[in-house]
Amino acid sequence: MAEVLLLSDEPSHERLLRRAWPYMRPHSGRLLAALLLSLAESAALVALAPLIGLAVEALVAGDRDRLLTAVALLAALVVAQALLARFAASTLAVAGENVVRGLRERAAERLAEAPLRFLEAHRGGSLLQRATGEIAELAMFVREALPNLLGVTATLAFTIVMLLGYSWPLTLVVVAVFLPPALLITRWFARGAGPAFGAHAGAEATMAGTFAETLDVREELRAVGGLPAWMERFDRDNLATLTTQRRTVLVENRIGAITLVEGAAMAVLLVFGAWLAAEGRLSVATVVVFVLAGRNLFEGFGDLSQLAGEIQTVRAGLARLLDLLSAGAPEPDGVLPLPARGELLAQDVTFRYERDTEVLRGVSVRFSEEAHAGLVGETGSGKTTLSKILGGLYPPDSGRVTFGGVDLREASREEVRRRIALIPQEVHMVSGSVADNLALAPGEPGRDEMEAAFEALGITAFAAALPQGLDTPADDLSAGERQILGLVRAVLADPAVLILDEATADIDPVTARDLETALARLREGRTLIVIAHRPATIELLPRLVGLRAGVLDTRHEN
């Protein structure tokens, strides 16, 4: 059995920036410009305190000209700081949104190209949460919190440098009183933040998966009276999410203790600064600068403490997203072309969904060019699995499948999709009209090509009977009608081999007749393999291939 990489509920947060850098590199120029603007804006903000100090010094000295000059410079700096802040935030937002857009596109591509085994090994809601919910939180962080984070960090650094230039003894006193307890509190927060926020993200993904499954099976749950039991499961997942949320709140509250440290440090600064001024060791202007800059310093740490929770949430989400992008890597693509027509051959194929359970064992079957055959057998015999292997969606664990003598694993996926089309029992439609769904066929066919496809299948009456013609909403179609549209899409793609898993749901006589007419027309000039359930369909097929418990059942070979 091929090894399937499973996503971790709480992936590692180590080297996140290094792992995310390949997705940021294309936007490095704009990111650098945003960083430089943020640094300039922070420098302008820090420079306000020294200018106010100059104004105080001029005021104490009674120097009117120096005072007016300081006030004018202060006004100009305020305007410059405001403009720099605006440009820095907008530039960073644009750069960040471009990075998020790239991640969103990469996640969509990765899920579209991921091996079928990988998709089936994970709950749809969990994958959806990583590809949408985590990216939405990242986008919100980029728009609202990231500009503040860069600005606050730069402001703290510049403020400490400026204070050292004024009085390194007083700066060391402030740092000694404030920094050690602040760092201890930050470390206390960080120690619990990773596990807490990671567990919360995992619990939210589990709840999203349960909710998505509830929508998928709501009719069946109501029909069998299983809704109360299922809701109990949802309540358990919801309670687990609430429990992890409470844990994150408790961890977030740890960082609030920095406020007490700020108050103590400001008190020490005022007392010590006043004593130095009284002793004549510092000017009043310098004390004013320290009070203003100290306020910036303490508010900066306070802002960082407020951002800490958001940073950890985004770190957890980014780790889960990068886990998806790395674990869901597509299998290596082949390079060989496939012939336009050819024989489809499965040789000694074995396949397992689970390591110790063989679904198919040593299956060998040959479908010559333009052959028409049906796959039959009891439920669970391996018919659908074999059809997916023949269609190149699953690589066999052992053995091989060839078309025209070329192993499907050695051919490019695009070539396989062009030559072999699989129409599943449940044909999924995207939101939109019938025409929107048919336009998904290769080449983006127009309405003329769509109408020609209905005519080629001899079911123009089916198209005419649709309530709004090709503009009929696809959501209004029955299972049988969707399979007919799947056949129409197959005509538009014109594959050499068509594999159809016939719908087992009750089909009304008119739709069943249209389906049989389309099949009779579609078999001309191509290989047709039908997983047949209805006697009327089986009668149309000249050959039957039987499966029983994962092996060929020779009783059906004719």
Side-chain angles (χ1 to χ4, degrees):
M1 172 181 175
E3 193 69 27
V4 179
L5 291 176
L6 297 179
L7 299 177
S8 171
D9 289 334
E10 299 179 24
S12 172
H13 292 190
E14 295 181 2
R15 300 187 300 276
L16 269 182
L17 285 179
R18 181 183 298 180
R19 289 155 54 194
W21 176 245
Y23 308 102
M24 300 165 61
R25 186 182 294 113
H27 313 284
S28 57
R30 193 180 292 271
L31 288 170
L32 178 60
L35 177 60
L36 293 176
L37 285 170
S38 295
L39 292 176
E41 184 267 333
S42 298
L45 179 63
V46 171
L48 292 176
L51 280 179
I52 293 175
L54 288 176
V56 171
E57 190 175 87
L59 184 63
V60 172
D63 191 335
R64 183 172 180 274
D65 291 338
R66 286 178 58 196
L67 177 61
L68 291 177
T69 301
V71 170
L73 289 175
L74 187 62
L77 191 59
V78 168
V79 173
Q81 190 266 335
L83 291 175
L84 287 170
R86 178 176 180 180
F87 286 124
S90 60
T91 303
L92 184 60
V94 171
E97 287 290 353
N98 285 334
V99 173
V100 171
R101 175 188 175 187
L103 287 171
R104 187 181 292 113
E105 291 175 349
R106 187 64 63 88
E109 292 172 359
R110 185 53 51 87
L111 288 177
E113 298 173 353
L116 195 57
R117 276 179 163 174
F118 173 82
L119 298 177
E120 292 176 341
H122 297 88
R123 302 177 72 183
S126 176
L127 296 176
L128 183 64
Q129 177 69 15
R130 292 183 189 238
T132 57
E134 315 295 8
I135 292 180
E137 289 183 353
L138 181 59
M140 184 70 68
F141 178 80
V142 165
R143 284 193 297 268
E144 298 181 0
L146 186 56
N148 291 337
L149 177 62
L150 286 179
V152 167
T153 304
T155 299
L156 289 174
F158 289 149
T159 298
I160 292 175
V161 172
M162 185 265 294
L163 290 179
L164 286 172
Y166 269 86
S167 173
W168 65 266
L170 186 55
T171 302
L172 292 181
V173 169
V174 173
V175 170
V177 172
F178 176 74
L179 198 57
L183 290 178
L184 287 175
I185 293 171
T186 303
R187 185 177 179 182
W188 182 37
F189 167 80
R191 189 167 56 247
F197 284 90
H200 181 58
E204 282 191 327
T206 300
M207 185 179 66
T210 302
F211 185 76
E213 291 172 359
T214 303
L215 297 178
D216 291 338
V217 298
R218 61 189 184 280
E219 294 182 1
E220 290 83 353
L221 290 174
R222 289 178 179 176
V224 301
L227 194 57
W230 187 266
M231 290 308 298
E232 288 181 5
R233 175 179 175 180
F234 180 81
D235 288 342
R236 288 196 300 270
D237 292 342
N238 196 17
L239 180 59
T241 303
L242 178 61
T243 301
T244 58
Q245 177 64 53
R246 288 172 176 168
R247 182 182 173 191
T248 61
V249 171
L250 291 175
V251 172
E252 283 182 329
N253 288 340
R254 295 178 183 180
I255 207 72
I258 288 182
T259 304
L260 300 176
V261 181
E262 292 173 8
M266 181 57 76
V268 171
L269 173 61
L270 290 173
V271 171
F272 194 55
W275 177 76
L276 289 176
E279 291 290 323
R281 299 182 183 181
L282 286 180
S283 67
V284 174
T286 300
V287 175
V288 170
V289 170
F290 262 86
V291 171
L292 294 175
R295 183 171 176 271
N296 287 340
L297 187 68
F298 302 144
E299 284 187 351
F301 269 98
D303 291 340
L304 278 181
S305 68
Q306 295 298 320
L307 291 171
E310 295 181 48
I311 293 171
Q312 289 301 324
T313 298
V314 169
R315 280 172 55 84
L318 182 59
R320 289 168 58 80
L321 178 59
L322 294 176
D323 188 33
L324 170 64
L325 295 179
S326 60
E331 296 169 342
D333 199 7
V335 296
L336 297 181
L338 292 177
R341 294 286 187 271
E343 177 184 74
L344 184 62
L345 174 65
Q347 295 178 294
D348 199 24
V349 167
T350 298
F351 185 84
R352 302 175 183 85
Y353 287 108
E354 299 178 359
R355 187 173 300 277
D356 299 327
T357 305
E358 290 184 338
V359 179
L360 296 175
R361 298 190 303 279
V363 173
S364 297
V365 61
R366 183 190 307 270
F367 300 95
S368 59
E369 184 177 338
E370 298 186 15
H372 304 141
L375 284 176
V376 296
E378 299 175 351
T379 299
S381 59
K383 303 186 300 298
T384 298
T385 301
L386 179 58
S387 71
K388 292 180 178 179
I389 292 175
L390 292 173
L393 296 181
Y394 287 148
D397 293 329
S398 63
R400 66 175 191 154
V401 177
T402 62
F403 177 77
V406 179
D407 194 321
L408 295 187
R409 286 174 294 198
E410 299 177 358
S412 69
R413 282 187 288 270
E414 183 179 353
E415 282 283 294
V416 175
R417 297 282 73 77
R418 184 183 296 119
R419 301 291 181 243
I420 306 174
L422 172 63
I423 302 177
Q425 188 176 109
E426 184 179 356
V427 177
H428 295 281
M429 297 284 168
V430 299
S431 298
S433 65
V434 169
D436 292 334
N437 280 271
L438 294 180
L440 297 177
E444 299 182 6
R447 293 199 172 224
D448 291 341
E449 290 87 349
M450 296 176 192
E451 292 171 358
F454 281 104
E455 184 175 351
L457 292 176
I459 53 172
T460 53
F462 169 81
L466 293 173
Q468 300 176 44
L470 295 179
D471 294 319
T472 301
D475 292 338
D476 296 344
L477 302 177
S478 67
E481 290 171 332
R482 292 183 177 210
Q483 278 225 321
I484 291 176
L485 288 187
L487 294 177
V488 175
R489 272 202 300 230
V491 169
L492 293 169
D494 192 26
V497 179
L498 177 65
I499 304 172
L500 171 68
D501 193 349
E502 184 185 36
T504 57
D506 291 336
I507 302 176
D508 63 89
V510 175
T511 302
R513 186 168 58 251
D514 288 334
L515 186 60
E516 292 163 8
T517 300
L519 274 176
R521 291 286 189 93
L522 195 58
R523 62 197 292 177
E524 299 173 3
R526 60 174 49 86
T527 301
L528 176 65
I529 304 171
V530 181
I531 301 178
H533 305 284
R534 302 171 60 251
T537 304
I538 293 175
E539 292 175 1
L540 294 173
L541 300 167
R543 177 190 174 200
L544 298 179
V545 176
L547 285 173
R548 185 177 185 182
V551 297
L552 287 178
D553 186 354
T554 55
R555 295 177 302 171
H556 290 284
E557 187 70 27
N558 57 38

